[in-house]
Amino acid sequence: MAIHLDHTIVPAHDKEKSAKFMAYIMGLEYGGLFGHFAAVKVDEHLSLDFDNRENFQGNHYAFLVTDEDFDAILGRVQGEGLKYGSSPFAQDDMEINHRHGGRGFYFRDENGHSWEFITHTYIKEEMIG
C-alpha cells in the first residue's frame, strides 16, 4: 500500500507572498489561489496550502530532492542573500551538511518556518521495510 501526504497547511502572515516566494525557491510555479488557499503543487502527491494566520509557531518542512534540484534551490537561496545552515541548530552558519551520503541545508523564511532540503533520506532502511 502506498501512502502519500496529499497536502499540508502552511500558516503565513501573507499567504500569496509566501506561496510565491517558496514556489520560486523550489523552482515550482505558483498558479494562484485555489479556493481559500494559496497552493503550491510540489509534485503529483503534495500541495503546500498557504493560509493567512496572525499567530502561529514556525514549522519544519523537509524535502528530498535530486542533486540538480539541490544545487538550483541552494543557488536561489544564496541569490536572495538568505542565511542558511548545515543543521537545525545552525541555520545560519552558511554551510551545507554531508550526512547519510548526501547533502543538506536549512533556512528560515520570514514566517519563521524552517525549510530543509536533502539529497539523501535520513530514514534508515530498517525503518521502511
Side-chain angles (χ1 to χ4, degrees):
M1 172 169 78
I3 299 175
H4 300 278
L5 181 63
D6 181 74
H7 65 277
T8 191
I9 306 297
V10 181
H13 297 295
D14 181 331
K15 65 186 178 186
E16 284 204 274
K17 179 181 177 188
S18 297
K20 289 174 185 176
F21 173 74
M22 283 312 301
Y24 164 72
I25 290 295
M26 297 173 76
L28 303 171
E29 292 194 23
Y30 172 65
L33 293 175
F34 181 75
H36 171 78
F37 300 102
V40 175
K41 191 73 174 161
V42 176
D43 61 20
E44 68 273 12
H45 301 292
L46 177 63
S47 174
L48 299 174
D49 295 348
F50 290 81
D51 191 19
N52 286 339
R53 303 277 169 83
E54 286 190 32
N55 299 306
F56 55 88
Q57 290 184 316
N59 294 315
H60 176 90
Y61 303 95
F63 295 90
L64 181 61
V65 298
T66 65
D67 282 309
E68 181 178 280
D69 287 336
F70 181 91
D71 292 337
I73 293 167
L74 180 59
R76 286 188 286 273
V77 166
Q78 291 169 329
E80 289 295 309
L82 300 171
K83 292 184 178 182
Y84 63 92
S86 59
S87 82
F89 308 107
Q91 293 196 26
D92 60 358
D93 65 8
M94 307 304 275
E95 296 181 16
I96 66 169
N97 69 56
H98 297 277
R99 294 188 197 116
H100 307 280
R103 298 180 295 155
F105 79 96
Y106 303 74
F107 81 95
R108 290 196 187 280
D109 69 12
E110 66 179 19
N111 295 298
H113 298 307
S114 175
W115 298 86
E116 176 183 8
F117 297 93
I118 56 176
T119 60
H120 192 281
T121 184
Y122 295 177
I123 297 173
K124 295 181 180 177
E125 292 283 331
E126 57 268 19
M127 291 175 69
I128 355 180

PDB file of all heavy atoms in Angstrom, residues 22-37:
ATOM      1  N   MET A  22       8.109  30.683  -1.884  1.00  0.00           N
ATOM      2  CA  MET A  22       8.548  29.289  -1.784  1.00  0.00           C
ATOM      3  C   MET A  22       8.466  28.583  -3.131  1.00  0.00           C
ATOM      4  O   MET A  22       9.308  27.743  -3.435  1.00  0.00           O
ATOM      5  CB  MET A  22       7.765  28.532  -0.712  1.00  0.00           C
ATOM      6  CG  MET A  22       8.235  28.851   0.707  1.00  0.00           C
ATOM      7  SD  MET A  22      10.039  28.783   0.971  1.00  0.00           S
ATOM      8  CE  MET A  22      10.432  27.095   0.513  1.00  0.00           C
ATOM      9  N   ALA A  23       7.497  28.927  -3.956  1.00  0.00           N
ATOM     10  CA  ALA A  23       7.451  28.349  -5.305  1.00  0.00           C
ATOM     11  C   ALA A  23       8.722  28.745  -6.055  1.00  0.00           C
ATOM     12  O   ALA A  23       9.349  27.902  -6.713  1.00  0.00           O
ATOM     13  CB  ALA A  23       6.205  28.824  -6.052  1.00  0.00           C
ATOM     14  N   TYR A  24       9.107  30.001  -5.956  1.00  0.00           N
ATOM     15  CA  TYR A  24      10.336  30.459  -6.616  1.00  0.00           C
ATOM     16  C   TYR A  24      11.553  29.707  -6.075  1.00  0.00           C
ATOM     17  O   TYR A  24      12.362  29.179  -6.860  1.00  0.00           O
ATOM     18  CB  TYR A  24      10.515  31.969  -6.411  1.00  0.00           C
ATOM     19  CG  TYR A  24      11.923  32.423  -6.720  1.00  0.00           C
ATOM     20  CD1 TYR A  24      12.388  32.462  -8.030  1.00  0.00           C
ATOM     21  CD2 TYR A  24      12.796  32.760  -5.692  1.00  0.00           C
ATOM     22  CE1 TYR A  24      13.690  32.838  -8.312  1.00  0.00           C
ATOM     23  CE2 TYR A  24      14.101  33.138  -5.969  1.00  0.00           C
ATOM     24  CZ  TYR A  24      14.543  33.176  -7.276  1.00  0.00           C
ATOM     25  OH  TYR A  24      15.835  33.534  -7.549  1.00  0.00           O
ATOM     26  N   ILE A  25      11.705  29.648  -4.763  1.00  0.00           N
ATOM     27  CA  ILE A  25      12.868  28.983  -4.149  1.00  0.00           C
ATOM     28  C   ILE A  25      12.949  27.530  -4.597  1.00  0.00           C
ATOM     29  O   ILE A  25      14.033  27.013  -4.896  1.00  0.00           O
ATOM     30  CB  ILE A  25      12.811  29.076  -2.607  1.00  0.00           C
ATOM     31  CG1 ILE A  25      13.054  30.515  -2.133  1.00  0.00           C
ATOM     32  CG2 ILE A  25      13.793  28.100  -1.945  1.00  0.00           C
ATOM     33  CD1 ILE A  25      14.439  31.073  -2.416  1.00  0.00           C
ATOM     34  N   MET A  26      11.804  26.851  -4.677  1.00  0.00           N
ATOM     35  CA  MET A  26      11.792  25.429  -5.023  1.00  0.00           C
ATOM     36  C   MET A  26      11.767  25.181  -6.526  1.00  0.00           C
ATOM     37  O   MET A  26      11.788  24.032  -6.968  1.00  0.00           O
ATOM     38  CB  MET A  26      10.604  24.753  -4.331  1.00  0.00           C
ATOM     39  CG  MET A  26      10.713  24.808  -2.812  1.00  0.00           C
ATOM     40  SD  MET A  26       9.244  24.204  -1.957  1.00  0.00           S
ATOM     41  CE  MET A  26       9.467  22.438  -2.169  1.00  0.00           C
ATOM     42  N   GLY A  27      11.726  26.237  -7.323  1.00  0.00           N
ATOM     43  CA  GLY A  27      11.702  26.058  -8.772  1.00  0.00           C
ATOM     44  C   GLY A  27      10.364  25.553  -9.275  1.00  0.00           C
ATOM     45  O   GLY A  27      10.290  24.867 -10.293  1.00  0.00           O
ATOM     46  N   LEU A  28       9.287  25.923  -8.584  1.00  0.00           N
ATOM     47  CA  LEU A  28       7.938  25.494  -8.942  1.00  0.00           C
ATOM     48  C   LEU A  28       7.145  26.692  -9.436  1.00  0.00           C
ATOM     49  O   LEU A  28       7.603  27.820  -9.358  1.00  0.00           O
ATOM     50  CB  LEU A  28       7.253  24.869  -7.718  1.00  0.00           C
ATOM     51  CG  LEU A  28       7.990  23.694  -7.076  1.00  0.00           C
ATOM     52  CD1 LEU A  28       7.338  23.315  -5.750  1.00  0.00           C
ATOM     53  CD2 LEU A  28       8.023  22.503  -8.022  1.00  0.00           C
ATOM     54  N   GLU A  29       5.943  26.434  -9.902  1.00  0.00           N
ATOM     55  CA  GLU A  29       5.086  27.520 -10.366  1.00  0.00           C
ATOM     56  C   GLU A  29       3.993  27.761  -9.346  1.00  0.00           C
ATOM     57  O   GLU A  29       3.439  26.824  -8.779  1.00  0.00           O
ATOM     58  CB  GLU A  29       4.468  27.169 -11.711  1.00  0.00           C
ATOM     59  CG  GLU A  29       5.504  27.120 -12.815  1.00  0.00           C
ATOM     60  CD  GLU A  29       4.876  27.118 -14.192  1.00  0.00           C
ATOM     61  OE1 GLU A  29       3.734  27.582 -14.324  1.00  0.00           O
ATOM     62  OE2 GLU A  29       5.551  26.640 -15.107  1.00  0.00           O
ATOM     63  N   TYR A  30       3.698  29.026  -9.134  1.00  0.00           N
ATOM     64  CA  TYR A  30       2.551  29.385  -8.315  1.00  0.00           C
ATOM     65  C   TYR A  30       1.410  29.696  -9.265  1.00  0.00           C
ATOM     66  O   TYR A  30       1.511  30.599 -10.097  1.00  0.00           O
ATOM     67  CB  TYR A  30       2.863  30.596  -7.428  1.00  0.00           C
ATOM     68  CG  TYR A  30       1.646  31.112  -6.705  1.00  0.00           C
ATOM     69  CD1 TYR A  30       1.001  30.326  -5.761  1.00  0.00           C
ATOM     70  CD2 TYR A  30       1.114  32.357  -6.996  1.00  0.00           C
ATOM     71  CE1 TYR A  30      -0.126  30.769  -5.105  1.00  0.00           C
ATOM     72  CE2 TYR A  30      -0.025  32.818  -6.346  1.00  0.00           C
ATOM     73  CZ  TYR A  30      -0.634  32.021  -5.402  1.00  0.00           C
ATOM     74  OH  TYR A  30      -1.762  32.465  -4.758  1.00  0.00           O
ATOM     75  N   GLY A  31       0.328  28.949  -9.150  1.00  0.00           N
ATOM     76  CA  GLY A  31      -0.780  29.093 -10.089  1.00  0.00           C
ATOM     77  C   GLY A  31      -1.934  29.939  -9.588  1.00  0.00           C
ATOM     78  O   GLY A  31      -2.980  29.969 -10.221  1.00  0.00           O
ATOM     79  N   GLY A  32      -1.772  30.622  -8.461  1.00  0.00           N
ATOM     80  CA  GLY A  32      -2.842  31.455  -7.929  1.00  0.00           C
ATOM     81  C   GLY A  32      -3.611  30.756  -6.829  1.00  0.00           C
ATOM     82  O   GLY A  32      -3.291  29.641  -6.419  1.00  0.00           O
ATOM     83  N   LEU A  33      -4.639  31.444  -6.371  1.00  0.00           N
ATOM     84  CA  LEU A  33      -5.451  30.903  -5.287  1.00  0.00           C
ATOM     85  C   LEU A  33      -6.196  29.662  -5.733  1.00  0.00           C
ATOM     86  O   LEU A  33      -6.654  29.562  -6.871  1.00  0.00           O
ATOM     87  CB  LEU A  33      -6.447  31.956  -4.801  1.00  0.00           C
ATOM     88  CG  LEU A  33      -5.859  33.178  -4.107  1.00  0.00           C
ATOM     89  CD1 LEU A  33      -6.959  34.183  -3.793  1.00  0.00           C
ATOM     90  CD2 LEU A  33      -5.114  32.778  -2.844  1.00  0.00           C
ATOM     91  N   PHE A  34      -6.312  28.724  -4.814  1.00  0.00           N
ATOM     92  CA  PHE A  34      -7.112  27.521  -5.015  1.00  0.00           C
ATOM     93  C   PHE A  34      -8.120  27.516  -3.871  1.00  0.00           C
ATOM     94  O   PHE A  34      -7.792  27.140  -2.752  1.00  0.00           O
ATOM     95  CB  PHE A  34      -6.238  26.268  -4.995  1.00  0.00           C
ATOM     96  CG  PHE A  34      -7.008  24.999  -5.220  1.00  0.00           C
ATOM     97  CD1 PHE A  34      -7.456  24.675  -6.482  1.00  0.00           C
ATOM     98  CD2 PHE A  34      -7.277  24.140  -4.166  1.00  0.00           C
ATOM     99  CE1 PHE A  34      -8.176  23.512  -6.703  1.00  0.00           C
ATOM    100  CE2 PHE A  34      -7.991  22.969  -4.379  1.00  0.00           C
ATOM    101  CZ  PHE A  34      -8.439  22.656  -5.642  1.00  0.00           C
ATOM    102  N   GLY A  35      -9.308  28.021  -4.163  1.00  0.00           N
ATOM    103  CA  GLY A  35     -10.278  28.236  -3.093  1.00  0.00           C
ATOM    104  C   GLY A  35      -9.729  29.283  -2.141  1.00  0.00           C
ATOM    105  O   GLY A  35      -9.290  30.353  -2.552  1.00  0.00           O
ATOM    106  N   HIS A  36      -9.707  28.955  -0.890  1.00  0.00           N
ATOM    107  CA  HIS A  36      -9.238  29.855   0.163  1.00  0.00           C
ATOM    108  C   HIS A  36      -7.706  29.905   0.246  1.00  0.00           C
ATOM    109  O   HIS A  36      -7.141  30.852   0.789  1.00  0.00           O
ATOM    110  CB  HIS A  36      -9.824  29.371   1.503  1.00  0.00           C
ATOM    111  CG  HIS A  36      -9.286  30.058   2.695  1.00  0.00           C
ATOM    112  ND1 HIS A  36      -9.705  31.323   3.074  1.00  0.00           N
ATOM    113  CD2 HIS A  36      -8.351  29.692   3.582  1.00  0.00           C
ATOM    114  CE1 HIS A  36      -9.060  31.685   4.160  1.00  0.00           C
ATOM    115  NE2 HIS A  36      -8.229  30.716   4.494  1.00  0.00           N
ATOM    116  N   PHE A  37      -7.031  28.906  -0.289  1.00  0.00           N
ATOM    117  CA  PHE A  37      -5.592  28.741  -0.089  1.00  0.00           C
ATOM    118  C   PHE A  37      -4.750  29.257  -1.254  1.00  0.00           C
ATOM    119  O   PHE A  37      -5.192  29.262  -2.395  1.00  0.00           O
ATOM    120  CB  PHE A  37      -5.256  27.261   0.140  1.00  0.00           C
ATOM    121  CG  PHE A  37      -5.939  26.685   1.341  1.00  0.00           C
ATOM    122  CD1 PHE A  37      -7.054  25.881   1.202  1.00  0.00           C
ATOM    123  CD2 PHE A  37      -5.471  26.947   2.614  1.00  0.00           C
ATOM    124  CE1 PHE A  37      -7.703  25.356   2.306  1.00  0.00           C
ATOM    125  CE2 PHE A  37      -6.103  26.427   3.730  1.00  0.00           C
ATOM    126  CZ  PHE A  37      -7.230  25.634   3.572  1.00  0.00           C
TER     127      PHE A  37
END
